[in-house]
């Protein structure tokens, strides 16, 4: 069983607009709306892979109700805490002509101290029955930057593996409690590194440094260039053939879903990274954010190569 945490969920609206540019009026040639926010994207991908999922975090207002209806349709167990505020909407404008994706991410509602306490109590009650926990995305207003640190400590107390996918100060503080795995992308790693990372060798050294803080699995996703992974003291470079992509938004979340699924099934570090890569690749083939198919995941799984050290 996998528990996914989405503290700042969103309705993810994707607009397809050819030759998009700022300052003009466009009528999208396509529009998709899905229950999003990183943790819910992880949840959807894990469900498509056939995993039993319990999802928790904060939901409120009419947007929260839309998300709850989608969670129910997907067969995801809803353990979200109801809040006074209104859950946010995030926009992605994808331009297939220029190959660009432009995102506008609302900050999300303010969470009260009472709502936070209710969540922490529920989170601790859910953790013991889980195999793997994922905690993904930005923190909504009202939560201190060490909120993920609290979740990592609760998971550690129950000897449960927690995959942390966040950024900035929330990631730095979360690292201090040594989660099982972190998955920054290249920009997120550069933002927290002590020094400028100008090439892959320096990215690998930075990932190894985080691993040596006591994080068993460190993955740095590099988009179409694949990923760098570190476990048991060794650095690995995973690659895949280039793909014609439809929508890359949500590929990082799909990567986390693949890792969580492989680990939940008893897989090792290598299995986790391979499944993560295959899911990230599969997500790029759909307009919706955080979507894969088992056929594509299996097909891509066979196309991934890796080398040790570089
Ligand atoms: O990674 C894609 C995505 O999850 C979108 O679905 C959108 O909800 C955004 O990221 C949210 O990111 P945040 O870091 O604000 O949680």
């Amino acid at each position: 069983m996998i528990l996914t945490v989405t503290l700042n969920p969103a309705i993810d609206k994707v607009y397809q607009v050819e030759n998009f540019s700022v300052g003009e009026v466009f009528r999208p040639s396509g529009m998709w709306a899905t229950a999003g926010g990183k943790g819910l994207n992880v949840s959807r991908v894990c469900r498509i892979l056939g995993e039993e999922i319990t999802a928790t975090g904060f939901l409120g207002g009419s947007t929260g109700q839309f998300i709850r209806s989608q969670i129910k349709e997907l067969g995801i167990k809803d353990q979200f805490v109801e809040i006074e505020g209104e859950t946010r909407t995030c926009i992605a404008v994808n331009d297939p002509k220029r190959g660009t994706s432009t995102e506008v991410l609302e900050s999300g509602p303010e969470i009260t101290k009472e709502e936070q306490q209710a969540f922490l109590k529920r989170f601790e009650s859910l953790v013991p029955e889980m195999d793997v926990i994922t905690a993904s995305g930005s923190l909504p207003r009202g939560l201190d930057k060490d909120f993920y640190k609290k979740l990592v400590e609760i998971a550690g107390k129950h000897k449960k593996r927690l995959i942390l996918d966040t950024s900035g100060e929330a990631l730095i503080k979360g690292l201090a409690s040594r989660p099982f795995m972190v998955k920054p992308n290249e920009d997120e790693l550069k933002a927290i590194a002590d020094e400028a990372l100008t090439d892959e060798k320096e990215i690998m050294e930075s990932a190894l440094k985080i691993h040596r803080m006591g994080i068993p699995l460190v993955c740095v996703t590099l988009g179409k260039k694949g990923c760098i992974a570190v476990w048991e003291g060794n650095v690995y470079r995973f690659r895949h053939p280039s793909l014609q992509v439809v929508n890359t938004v949500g590929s990082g979340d799909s990567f986390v879903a693949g890792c969580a699924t492989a680990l939940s099934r008893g897989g090792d570090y290598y299995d986790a990274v391979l499944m993560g890569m295959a899911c990230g690749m599969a997500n790029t083939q759909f307009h919706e954010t955080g979507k894969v198919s088992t056929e594509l995941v299996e097909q891509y799984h066979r196309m991934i190569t890796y080398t040790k050290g570089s």
Side-chain angles (χ1 to χ4, degrees), residues 10 12 37-38 41 88 90 103 105 137-138 249-250 253 289:
D12 274 344
K38 294 184 177 345
N41 293 331
R88 64 178 175 160
C90 289
E103 288 190 84
L105 309 181
S138 61
V249 179
D253 313 324
T289 297

Side-chain angles (χ1 to χ4, degrees), residues 198-204 222 225 228 237 239:
T198 57
D199 59 24
E200 278 207 11
K201 186 172 178 303
E202 289 176 349
I203 291 174
M204 287 178 170
L222 307 170
K225 294 183 290 181
I228 288 164
R237 181 69 171 81
R239 294 180 173 85

Side-chain angles (χ1 to χ4, degrees), residues 278-293:
C279 290
M281 294 165 71
N283 175 76
T284 68
Q285 303 303 297
F286 296 91
H287 288 286
E288 298 89 330
T289 297
K291 184 170 179 184
V292 300
S293 70

Side-chain angles (χ1 to χ4, degrees), residues 219-257:
C219 294
V220 182
T221 50
L222 307 170
K224 63 185 175 187
K225 294 183 290 181
C227 85
I228 288 164
V230 187
W231 71 80
E232 292 175 345
N234 294 309
V235 180
Y236 301 87
R237 181 69 171 81
F238 284 77
R239 294 180 173 85
H240 60 74
S242 64
L243 299 170
Q244 284 292 326
V245 301
V246 171
N247 173 20
T248 59
V249 179
S251 284
D253 313 324
S254 303
F255 185 101
V256 169

